[in-house]
Amino acid sequence: MHTVGKVLAVLLVSLGMAGCSSMGKKSGDGPASVQEGGSAYGAETQGLGMGSGMDASAFNDPANPLSQRVIYFEFDSANVRESDQAVLAAHANYLANNPMSSVTLEGHADERGSREYNIGLGDRRAQAVKKLLEFQGVNPAQVSTVSYGEEKPAMEGHMEDFWSQNRRVEIVYTGQ
């Protein structure tokens, strides 16, 4: 029965990726891409760039799903949205084909909730992304996680527009 569940999960992820591959970005889903060193919302990603041994052009090309290195979440949720499946599949494919590369998944939360709760929520979000990457063939040794909870907001403010940008996991390439 466990094997049937895995096969069903693979089929669902594949169908989701096929359905999302032709869809454009909906407004309100966050930024289409995060450029190296930051985003329009102040979230910073580091570790990928010249001298890292990686082809930085793919990571900086807005048309390439590898350029999107921030996964957003709904309020109080650690469920990866279907719209982010294709992006994670592209990162999983890259990591599986580049075993010397590694990532740190940085989990974040908005300011609502206690500091302890938000650290836990950021960790659950990072772990959810890690599980999806591993399920798609990434070696667990290539992926580490850290939770910052509410401590490193992408945007300062006390409204939903700001909070939605803080509920995220940042994919930070760290290895060559």
Side-chain angles (χ1 to χ4, degrees):
M1 186 66 180
H2 188 61
T3 303
V4 172
K6 283 185 177 182
V7 170
L8 183 57
V10 168
L11 285 173
L12 289 174
V13 169
S14 298
L15 287 173
M17 289 187 301
C20 292
S21 65
S22 63
M23 297 173 63
K25 187 101 174 126
K26 292 185 247 175
S27 65
D29 278 351
S33 67
V34 176
Q35 299 299 320
E36 182 180 344
S39 76
Y41 300 106
E44 293 187 14
T45 58
Q46 299 175 5
L48 174 68
M50 304 319 267
S52 68
M54 296 182 207
D55 180 12
S57 63
F59 289 90
N60 293 323
D61 176 7
N64 191 317
L66 291 174
S67 70
Q68 183 175 337
R69 293 186 298 276
V70 180
I71 305 297
Y72 294 96
F73 291 83
E74 299 298 325
F75 173 71
D76 199 28
S77 173
N79 296 323
V80 176
R81 297 184 297 192
E82 190 174 319
S83 60
D84 291 318
Q85 296 292 329
V87 169
L88 289 176
H91 285 283
N93 184 51
Y94 179 84
L95 288 165
N97 289 315
N98 293 278
M100 298 305 292
S101 294
S102 61
V103 293
T104 298
L105 303 173
E106 299 178 347
H108 299 270
D110 64 36
E111 66 185 13
R112 296 172 290 177
S114 70
R115 181 169 284 168
E116 293 80 14
Y117 181 81
N118 287 335
I119 289 288
L121 182 56
D123 183 59
R124 289 192 300 278
R125 289 172 173 164
Q127 293 298 327
V129 171
K130 180 179 180 176
K131 284 180 188 176
L132 281 173
L133 292 174
E134 290 175 0
F135 186 73
Q136 295 178 44
V138 176
N139 182 340
Q142 290 177 271
V143 183
S144 63
T145 62
V146 63
S147 176
Y148 292 110
E150 64 190 76
E151 299 303 316
K152 291 187 171 187
M155 293 187 75
E156 298 282 339
H158 309 291
M159 296 176 11
E160 179 57 31
D161 288 346
F162 302 111
W163 292 328
S164 67
Q165 298 303 309
N166 294 330
R167 299 187 302 256
R168 69 196 191 280
V169 167
E170 294 186 28
I171 302 169
V172 180
Y173 280 81
T174 56
Q176 296 185 6

